[in-house]
Amino acid sequence: MKYHQINSGLFVKNREKFTAQMKPKSVAVFNSNDIYPVSADSTLPFAQHRDIFYLSGVDQEESILLLFPDAPYEHLKEILFLRETNEHIAIWEGEKLTKERAFQVSGIKTVFWLQDFDKTLKEIMMYAEVMYINTNEHYRSAVETETREDRFIKKWKAQYPAHTVAKSNPILQRIRSIKETEEIDLIQQACNITEKGFRRLLSFVKPNVMEYEVEAELIHEFVRNRSKGFAYTPIIASGNNANVLHYIENNQQCKAGDLLLLDVAAEYANYSSDLTRTIPVSGRYSERQKAVYNAVLRVKNEATKMLTPGTLWKQYHVEVGKIMTSELLGLGLIDKADVQNENPDWPAYKKYFMHGTSHHMGLDTHDYGLLHEPMEANMVFTVEPGIYIPAEGFGIRIEDDVVIQKSGEPFNLMRNIPIEADEIESLMNA
Ligand SMILES: [Mn+2]
């Protein structure tokens, strides 16, 4: 791991929050992700499943976490199962968690090797009545792959058909959406690394630079600051590429006079950040570009103020839509007739702003959170309005990450990242 070790107290607290919501005599199991094959003996880099990481801090493949709070014996209440390591394995495969290290990382006292899993589970299932399975119920998930977790669930349910099944996901959605102070610090660190990358670009971007050269600058800055790299596939979109919302080719030349939309951010210790800035390739916005830019920025600032405890995500989007409508009227992009005749299911503003304004952010970039429940303090949201005008050859999005406070405006984790058009221009021309 490139990141500094996280205090195990965070994971102890996270497990307490999870087990507090489990039914009596129940057991929950969480699996690592697989290492995905490419072909021959090539593999993709390992990315840990966020749930087992959240509950244990274990950032290693083939790990299993088992929670059984009502166990008749203390040593069975929480157990980690890890790939066996020893000095010989360490020489071939590099450092893996020893039992002692696993305790330091997770705070879990009982650590077994993986080969003890089946017989330990068998003993536990004899005492338990309910099995919590961890299915992926994220509202944006679309998974074709059978994960290690999926395979385990199939096998577990087949082996123990007399047990009642319960869902881990709603518990995790709720507890993961409200961040501990330590987590907000980690997200802040990811944002700070993102800031370094963005500032580096302000002196790098010039007419004729390639989008992938911009990507290379960022990855260099991220990795040298202990990040594994991008928190999500970066969007580096000059000119009309910005109007392709998920443009990830990043292979075009940035032309003089064009805008460059950058939806790029670093991860740190598996925590995401999520930034968007739109900068002028030549170092100055045109008058029209600046007018649209400032309209997007006003929508962002007004939307941010609405992220307070009690706000409902759906209603919030309706309100943001009203603010955007008035800005688009001001820019002459839509007229009063468009608004009067609009389809309530697809209001007129959606022609220029067709995506959502905010999503939960945390261990996953589009993090867990039950969107039908009111917002609460210490939830982290993005705020990311945009205006996309293919006919004028540019698209603008501005995005920050903020923490909802008990009262007042949210705390902006990206408060130090240049956002005002004038500041961006002066830094690009320094
Ligand atoms: Mn986002």
Side-chain angles (χ1 to χ4, degrees):
M1 306 316 141
K2 297 187 180 80
Y3 56 87
H4 295 289
Q5 192 182 324
I6 300 167
N7 190 310
S8 64
L10 171 63
F11 308 113
V12 172
K13 266 189 284 188
N14 291 347
R15 287 195 296 279
E16 282 168 3
K17 283 186 281 186
F18 187 90
T19 54
Q21 304 213 25
M22 291 172 74
K23 296 172 185 175
K25 291 195 177 178
S26 62
V27 52
V29 175
F30 304 91
N31 282 269
S32 279
N33 274 331
D34 284 313
I35 294 179
Y36 288 95
V38 178
S39 52
D41 67 346
S42 319
T43 56
L44 296 178
F46 174 65
Q48 182 59 299
H49 195 297
R50 299 306 192 241
D51 292 332
I52 189 172
F53 182 79
Y54 176 81
L55 294 168
S56 71
V58 170
D59 201 350
Q60 184 171 297
E61 72 281 6
E62 293 181 51
S63 309
I64 304 175
L65 169 67
L66 186 151
L67 300 176
F68 183 29
D70 294 339
Y73 305 108
E74 195 59 35
H75 74 283
L76 297 179
K77 284 183 194 282
E78 42 181 30
I79 313 173
L80 268 178
F81 298 89
L82 304 175
R83 279 183 66 184
E84 182 171 5
T85 190
N86 56 41
E87 277 173 35
H88 171 78
I89 294 171
I91 288 167
W92 284 89
E93 303 203 14
E95 200 190 334
K96 299 284 171 197
L97 289 173
T98 61
K99 292 184 178 183
E100 296 73 28
R101 278 291 296 152
F103 167 68
Q104 286 165 14
V105 166
S106 66
I108 295 171
K109 292 194 191 84
T110 310
V111 183
F112 292 147
W113 299 131
L114 216 45
Q115 52 266 36
D116 293 326
F117 180 74
D118 284 337
K119 77 166 195 283
T120 311
L121 183 66
K122 192 174 178 204
E123 181 187 355
I124 282 171
M125 293 306 275
M126 190 172 72
Y127 310 129
E129 281 168 15
V130 182
M131 52 209 272
Y132 274 84
I133 61 169
N134 191 24
T135 46
N136 182 352
E137 295 179 14
H138 190 273
Y139 71 118
R140 292 169 82 141
S141 66
V143 183
E144 283 200 49
T145 313
E146 186 174 61
T147 63
R148 197 173 188 86
E149 194 82 86
D150 297 333
R151 295 198 303 277
F152 173 73
I153 290 169
K154 265 192 193 168
K155 186 178 134 198
W156 196 20
K157 283 175 69 182
Q159 269 175 343
Y160 299 96
H163 287 69
T164 307
V165 173
K167 299 199 295 185
S168 293
N169 189 262
I171 303 177
L172 288 163
Q173 293 257 6
R174 206 167 270 125
I175 63 178
R176 270 185 52 186
S177 67
I178 299 167
K179 273 67 178 175
E180 293 289 338
T181 313
E182 296 94 321
E183 295 186 280
I184 292 171
D185 288 346
L186 291 164
I187 297 169
Q188 182 69 72
Q189 289 187 58
C191 292
N192 294 351
I193 297 170
T194 298
E195 177 187 355
K196 289 184 179 171
F198 179 68
R199 287 187 181 274
R200 187 181 175 107
L201 295 187
L202 291 175
S203 50
F204 178 79
V205 170
K206 300 266 180 309
N208 301 327
V209 79
M210 300 300 288
E211 291 165 349
Y212 52 73
E213 292 180 273
V214 173
E215 183 173 332
E217 289 295 304
L218 289 168
I219 196 78
H220 179 99
E221 194 64 33
F222 291 172
V223 174
R224 72 195 287 261
N225 283 287
R226 294 183 177 269
S227 166
K228 231 167 20 175
F230 290 101
Y232 51 90
T233 311
I235 298 170
I236 299 169
S238 60
N240 247 326
N241 296 333
N243 295 313
V244 179
L245 292 182
H246 290 137
Y247 173 82
I248 52 170
E249 303 298 327
N250 306 344
N251 61 2
Q252 299 298 304
Q253 194 167 44
C254 302
K255 301 268 165 46
D258 274 354
L259 292 184
L260 177 62
L261 185 152
L262 301 151
D263 191 340
V264 292
E267 71 85 55
Y268 178 75
N270 291 326
Y271 281 84
S272 286
S273 59
D274 192 358
L275 174 86
T276 309
R277 290 291 184 269
T278 308
I279 66 174
V281 171
S282 309
R284 301 260 174 227
Y285 298 92
S286 72
E287 213 172 302
R288 175 64 171 169
Q289 288 166 348
K290 197 178 273 192
V292 178
Y293 187 93
N294 287 331
V296 175
L297 188 54
R298 282 192 295 272
V299 176
K300 181 194 156 280
N301 291 338
E302 290 306 307
T304 303
K305 290 179 195 161
M306 293 190 274
L307 294 171
T308 53
T311 297
L312 286 167
W313 188 78
K314 223 173 173 177
Q315 187 56 36
Y316 160 80
H317 278 90
V318 172
E319 296 303 320
V320 175
K322 289 179 192 166
I323 300 164
M324 181 57 90
T325 300
S326 91
E327 290 292 349
L328 293 176
L329 285 166
L331 292 166
L333 287 165
I334 56 175
D335 60 27
K336 282 187 178 157
D338 294 327
V339 179
Q340 274 155 11
N341 303 328
E342 76 184 8
N343 171 357
D345 295 331
W346 194 256
Y349 78 82
K350 294 248 184 201
K351 182 176 174 193
Y352 295 98
F353 175 39
M354 58 298 277
H355 58 76
T357 308
S358 293
H359 56 78
H360 285 275
M361 222 278 312
L363 279 170
D364 286 292
T365 306
H366 297 152
D367 208 26
Y368 281 176
L370 298 170
L371 294 172
H372 59 285
E373 295 186 357
M375 295 180 186
E376 289 182 48
N378 296 324
M379 287 181 170
V380 174
F381 277 98
T382 64
V383 198
E384 48 178 311
I387 296 178
Y388 308 92
I389 324 176
E392 298 185 36
F394 67 89
I396 295 174
R397 178 165 67 251
I398 305 174
E399 173 178 31
D400 277 343
D401 306 334
V402 303
V403 189
I404 294 188
Q405 304 293 295
K406 277 202 194 85
S407 63
E409 283 196 38
F411 179 73
N412 190 345
L413 296 167
M414 294 179 154
R415 64 201 171 281
N416 296 325
I417 305 184
I419 194 164
E420 295 291 337
D422 293 345
E423 188 184 0
I424 288 171
E425 285 184 344
S426 73
L427 289 166
M428 290 187 80
N429 292 285

